[in-house]
Amino acid sequence: MAIKRILLGLGLLRWSRVERALAPVLMVALVYSYYLAGMGIALGLEGRDRFINVGLVESQLSVFASVIAGALGLMVLGLLLRRHRADSLLFQHVAAHYFSFSLVWVGYLTGPLGYTAGVVLMGAALSGYIALERQVILPAFVTAFLLILGLNLAAAFEFIAYAPALRAPTDQASALFWTNATFFLAAPHIAFSVGAMTLMLGFWQKRENYVLRLGLTDALTHVHNRRSILVQLEAEMARTQRLGQPLAVALLDLDHFKRINDTWGHPAGDRVLRAAAAALKASLRPGDAIGRFGGEEFLLVLPGRTLEEAAQQAEQCRAQLATLALVADSGEPMPVSGSFGLVWNPAGAVVSAEARVHAADSLLYAAKQAGRNCVCQGVPEAGAGDAAKAREQEWKGNAARILRGQETPPPVSRRLLRLLGDFVKGWPAWNQADKQIFFLALSIAMFASFAGWGGWVLYLEDREQLVKVPMGESLMLYLAGVIAGFVLLIGIGLYIRKRWPNSWLYQLAGQQFFALTLVFAGYFLGILSFPVGIMLVGLPLIGFIYFSRSLVLLSFATSLVVTVALAYASAFGWLPYAPLLAEGVDRYQPHSFFWGYTAYHFTFPTLLVILVLADQTLGRWRQRGQQVLAMSRTDALTQVHNRRSILGVLDREVARTRHRGPALAVVILDLDHFKKINDTWGHPTGDRVLQEAARVLEAAIRDGDAVGRYGGEEFLLLLPDTPLAGAAALVERCRAQLAATRVQADNGDTFTISASFGVASNEQALGLDAEALVKAADEALYRAKEGGRNRVETVAAGALARA
């Protein structure tokens, strides 16, 4: 089952560190088995001495078998570790370096400046950025790169043979074998790299979008949560101001909702909230937005309406709520109505989001004072609510930035990479034409580096011994023409970026031109050389991150077909293999110091661009993924677990205690007279009370305990491994600390807060489910309220067992 999951690769982001480390180990076992079969075929060829070093290849059979056995042993160790030390970073390091060393060895046997070495180095690095931890893949990549460099230097100075397993081609048959062997060695790495990157990036994006939706959706009502509706309000403010349109905002509060909870219980209250959200959402038109702003409060964003139209819309929503016919479990009808505060701004008005919400809140209380179940409307003054600007900036920074993917990446060297940092931060806001223009500009720098090398070589005194000078001059003309082509494409992009910012044709033209020019530049040095392998695999895989997958696959397929065609045309003698090389240079194995330097000169700019972009972008994705995941689990106002998250923790703890024990205590608390706080000092003060209560509770509980916002002014505490008596003592401490807390209102008044607590434990009934525990704690909470509030009530274990 574990191997099947590894092969599928779709659950990667849920895997532990050890499970992810199994992927490269499995890759070693599969690839070396594939290579072992290929060696058997080569040893069976007629005239094999012309193609391979038979003695060396035969000696490698046992080495390859040992590598496969070592990989299988590591897999067994990993499968054992995943149950006991699933987060072992050391095992990831071992797996990554085992992968690197094993593939470097194959690269040495077949030529470390060859096409296969470039494909393996680049494909493994980029796939590893997704599969493994950043602090693991970087050392493994650097180690492999330095080993390959060291082998090339040793071969250049003739300390070791360049490609000891393969004979240098001397005729058409051996050239054809060498070409076949190169593609045979590279094929699994190309397939794995492209397939793994496509699957993993696609899954990553889908999962991130799913988690982001969770983080921006209220778990109970399935409309925008507070964080998301504020982001929507900010976006609509910017859009309507840009288009010169009016904007209306309505804040509504369900009337006497506290009475519903107190009379029929929280499940009935939840049913009312869900029905109210559905009714409100059905009453809005496309383009409007609705979000749950607080416990029983909803915020409506109504763009593009006149004041009369906005008032009619709010009245329609009010009437729709009043027509809801909801019935409690007891059969009694539960009346539903809402009070609305509606603010409207004419086109061009500059009013902050905080000012709009503040004005709507004031009008909401005017509606309550007018008898509830009505709409009060008005126009806020520009600049109103500026005292709360800091809070506005906080949610704008934390929510809007994450929503747009613009969180700042970790600094690497702010001075040297400032331009790149600005690019990375602004990248998500760029359209496809902008991105294509950026890569074309990078291409100019890359080809300018190639031209610089060409100019230097043609200036050398011994150039006749190194290159064919006429062909070098042709290369310079080719590079100049390519750079001119890139400049022309950039000019076209700048022209169309405003009119057709996501032009499919422009992206196709830019990517095909880029891919083909790189392949032909590599052909001058040798179509199956190290730089071509780096370019062919690395750049398309980076493209998967930024561009349409179908377009990138199309350009990759084109460049691969051209590469194969040129390689076999060279093998059959129709074209020279490396037209730039001077006569007398070993064309298929140019391992002198000069050609080693040349290969790295052509490789390094490409390698640098690919790795920096991969490191910054995939690192930023990881960071954003963690932030989005945290956001999906966190209440926007209090920064503790939200309802969905705390109930998920409860389910896990119940399952754990059911199997192993010990007892789990569940606590529900309700802030006393919270409605009065809101009615007296307003919602901003009520928000501060909730934040302060969450802070006190988090400080009072122990490590391993959890606190989450369960409803409007209700919190749920989970106390694992805690019997009822111990839970009661801890909760009494929470109650006392809350009662000693003072909060200051906006007008300067200070007041104390308190809460009523209901505690339940499954110490004598471990088989109880989460719903039964919450229901028991809820019943104890209502006894605390009926007993005078600001107190703790518990449910006896025996009574709970009979529930």
Side-chain angles (χ1 to χ4, degrees):
M1 184 62 185
I3 295 177
K4 181 179 178 181
R5 288 176 61 194
I6 294 169
L7 289 173
L8 288 174
L10 295 177
L12 183 67
L13 296 178
R14 298 192 188 99
W15 291 0
S16 68
R17 284 173 169 170
V18 167
E19 288 174 320
R20 280 183 280 154
L22 290 174
V25 176
L26 176 63
M27 181 65 179
V28 171
L30 294 176
V31 168
Y32 262 74
S33 298
Y34 171 81
Y35 287 165
L36 198 59
M39 292 166 69
I41 294 172
L43 288 171
L45 290 175
E46 185 178 350
R48 59 191 179 185
D49 288 314
R50 288 189 300 157
F51 309 139
I52 61 174
N53 183 337
V54 176
L56 178 65
V57 171
E58 288 177 341
S59 70
Q60 291 300 306
L61 293 175
S62 59
V63 174
F64 277 42
S66 299
V67 171
I68 295 170
L72 294 176
L74 273 178
M75 288 190 65
V76 172
L77 177 61
L79 293 173
L80 294 174
L81 280 176
R82 62 192 285 266
R83 294 190 177 276
H84 305 290
R85 298 190 62 185
D87 288 327
S88 172
L89 196 62
L90 176 61
F91 186 77
Q92 269 203 15
H93 278 287
V94 171
H97 281 83
Y98 191 82
F99 182 80
S100 298
F101 291 149
S102 62
L103 294 180
V104 166
W105 181 247
V106 174
Y108 165 64
L109 293 175
T110 58
L113 271 183
Y115 177 82
T116 303
V119 166
V120 171
L121 183 69
M122 200 74 268
L126 291 178
S127 302
Y129 264 113
I130 295 181
L132 305 176
E133 303 290 329
R134 184 185 189 191
Q135 64 264 42
V136 170
I137 193 60
L138 281 177
F141 171 79
V142 170
T143 301
F145 182 83
L146 292 178
L147 281 173
I148 291 174
L149 178 61
L151 291 169
N152 282 317
L153 289 174
F157 289 107
E158 299 183 353
F159 297 147
I160 59 174
Y162 169 68
L166 300 178
R167 302 291 188 191
T170 56
D171 53 24
Q172 181 177 313
S174 58
L176 187 60
F177 172 83
W178 185 80
T179 303
N180 290 336
T182 299
F183 284 120
F184 177 85
L185 294 168
H189 298 283
I190 294 175
F192 172 79
S193 299
V194 174
M197 286 286 286
T198 303
L199 286 173
M200 290 188 290
L201 286 175
F203 178 76
W204 196 327
Q205 290 168 336
K206 288 179 182 178
R207 180 178 180 270
E208 185 182 72
N209 291 336
Y210 171 71
V211 174
L212 186 58
R213 284 196 300 273
L214 290 182
L216 300 177
T217 304
D218 179 63
L220 180 63
T221 61
H222 302 295
V223 298
H224 290 286
N225 61 16
R226 180 190 180 100
R227 176 191 291 114
S228 180
I229 194 62
L230 289 175
V231 172
Q232 293 293 320
L233 173 58
E234 183 75 11
E236 282 300 333
M237 285 169 54
R239 190 182 69 83
T240 54
Q241 187 170 354
R242 184 175 65 251
L243 299 177
Q245 295 178 346
L247 176 65
V249 176
L251 185 65
L252 68 104
D253 187 290
L254 297 182
D255 298 327
H256 307 297
F257 183 76
K258 195 73 172 170
R259 185 185 304 167
I260 294 174
N261 270 340
D262 292 346
T263 305
W264 294 291
H266 285 90
D270 291 348
R271 201 155 63 245
V272 169
L273 287 170
R274 285 193 292 265
L280 292 167
K281 190 173 183 180
S283 300
L284 301 180
R285 68 182 186 184
D288 298 340
I290 174 176
R292 187 178 177 193
F293 194 68
E296 63 270 23
E297 297 165 341
F298 293 88
L299 187 69
L300 309 180
V301 180
L302 313 171
R305 287 181 174 82
T306 65
L307 179 58
E308 293 75 16
E309 290 171 341
Q312 289 175 4
Q313 180 71 75
E315 180 60 33
Q316 180 182 345
C317 290
R318 185 205 62 77
Q320 190 71 20
L321 286 177
T323 60
L324 289 176
L326 300 179
V327 180
D329 293 339
S330 63
E332 301 171 89
M334 296 186 294
V336 181
S337 64
S339 302
F340 289 71
L342 174 70
V343 296
W344 178 85
N345 297 105
V350 181
V351 182
S352 69
E354 183 70 24
R356 295 172 196 261
V357 175
H358 183 81
D361 189 44
S362 300
L363 291 168
L364 167 61
Y365 281 104
K368 290 183 176 182
Q369 291 169 1
R372 303 180 188 269
N373 193 22
C374 64
V375 178
C376 283
Q377 63 190 46
V379 178
E381 297 180 1
D386 286 342
K389 192 70 175 176
R391 289 196 300 276
E392 180 185 355
Q393 292 301 324
E394 182 180 356
W395 64 255
K396 281 171 62 179
N398 293 341
R401 191 167 62 240
I402 294 173
L403 180 63
R404 293 192 295 265
Q406 293 178 348
E407 64 279 3
T408 305
V412 179
S413 173
R414 290 186 179 179
R415 291 183 179 179
L416 296 178
L417 296 178
R418 181 176 298 170
L419 179 62
L420 179 62
D422 292 342
F423 152 71
V424 171
K425 288 187 286 184
W427 179 274
W430 288 13
N431 57 43
Q432 291 299 313
D434 290 329
K435 296 177 182 179
Q436 192 68 57
I437 289 168
F438 176 81
F439 272 100
L440 292 174
L442 282 180
S443 304
I444 291 176
M446 188 184 304
F447 275 83
S449 171
F450 299 163
W453 172 88
W456 171 70
V457 171
L458 292 177
Y459 179 76
L460 294 175
E461 291 184 2
D462 59 345
R463 56 185 176 272
E464 298 285 352
Q465 286 76 43
L466 300 175
V467 300
K468 290 179 180 175
V469 175
M471 189 58 66
E473 293 170 346
S474 299
L475 173 62
M476 297 296 288
L477 290 175
Y478 170 77
L479 294 175
V482 169
I483 292 172
F486 282 130
V487 171
L488 177 61
L489 279 173
I490 289 174
I492 294 172
L494 292 173
Y495 174 74
I496 71 169
R497 63 193 289 267
K498 298 294 185 185
R499 304 182 65 180
W500 302 289
N502 294 306
S503 169
W504 184 87
L505 182 61
Y506 178 69
Q507 294 178 64
L508 177 64
Q511 291 177 25
Q512 291 285 353
F513 184 77
F514 177 65
L516 291 176
T517 52
L518 277 175
V519 169
F520 282 109
Y523 168 66
F524 279 89
L525 299 177
I527 193 60
L528 293 183
S529 61
F530 186 70
V532 177
I534 291 284
M535 295 172 188
L536 183 72
V537 174
L539 291 167
L541 294 186
I542 283 292
F544 282 137
I545 301 173
Y546 300 111
F547 299 107
S548 165
R549 208 160 294 148
S550 58
L551 287 175
V552 175
L553 282 172
L554 185 59
S555 64
F556 171 75
T558 302
S559 57
L560 182 60
V561 168
V562 172
T563 299
V564 172
L566 290 172
Y568 280 102
S570 300
F572 284 110
W574 302 333
L575 291 173
Y577 169 70
L580 189 61
L581 274 66
E583 295 295 339
V585 176
D586 189 341
R587 282 170 162 37
Y588 285 89
Q589 296 185 358
H591 54 273
S592 68
F593 182 82
F594 172 79
W595 285 110
Y597 163 78
T598 296
Y600 279 95
H601 182 95
F602 273 70
T603 298
F604 195 73
T606 308
L607 193 65
L608 184 64
V609 168
I610 291 171
L611 290 181
V612 169
L613 288 177
D615 182 62
Q616 291 289 308
T617 305
L618 294 177
R620 182 172 55 85
W621 275 19
R622 286 185 187 277
Q623 184 185 23
R624 190 169 81 241
Q626 292 169 356
Q627 290 174 327
V628 168
L629 186 61
M631 190 174 71
S632 71
R633 297 171 175 171
T634 305
D635 178 64
L637 180 64
T638 60
Q639 300 302 306
V640 296
H641 287 284
N642 59 20
R643 180 189 179 101
R644 179 190 293 112
S645 179
I646 196 66
L647 289 178
V649 175
L650 174 60
D651 287 337
R652 290 193 296 273
E653 288 296 335
V654 166
R656 183 183 63 82
T657 58
R658 181 177 296 153
H659 292 292
R660 299 193 300 270
L664 167 69
V666 175
V667 183
I668 297 181
L669 67 104
D670 188 295
L671 297 180
D672 296 329
H673 308 296
F674 184 75
K675 198 72 174 170
K676 183 179 179 181
I677 294 173
N678 272 340
D679 292 347
T680 305
W681 291 289
H683 282 89
T685 299
D687 289 348
R688 279 202 298 282
V689 168
L690 290 169
Q691 291 168 334
E692 191 64 18
R695 183 193 65 78
V696 170
L697 292 170
E698 276 203 301
I701 60 178
R702 308 158 302 182
D703 292 340
D705 297 341
V707 55
R709 190 176 176 193
Y710 188 63
E713 63 270 24
E714 297 164 341
F715 292 87
L716 187 67
L717 303 182
L718 304 181
L719 311 177
D721 309 334
T722 309
L724 191 62
L730 189 151
V731 170
E732 179 59 35
R733 184 169 74 244
C734 293
R735 185 204 63 76
Q737 291 184 11
L738 277 176
T741 301
R742 299 188 67 83
V743 178
Q744 185 174 27
D746 287 340
N747 64 0
D749 293 346
T750 60
F751 57 91
T752 58
I753 59 177
S754 66
S756 303
F757 293 76
V759 186
S761 175
N762 63 356
E763 58 185 308
Q764 293 185 10
L766 296 180
L768 286 172
D769 59 20
E771 184 179 355
L773 273 169
V774 171
K775 182 178 180 182
D778 197 39
E779 291 173 356
L781 167 64
Y782 280 107
R783 288 208 301 272
K785 289 183 178 182
E786 292 169 356
R789 302 181 188 271
N790 190 22
R791 56 186 290 125
V792 177
E793 287 287 341
T794 62
V795 173
L800 186 59
R802 293 191 297 272

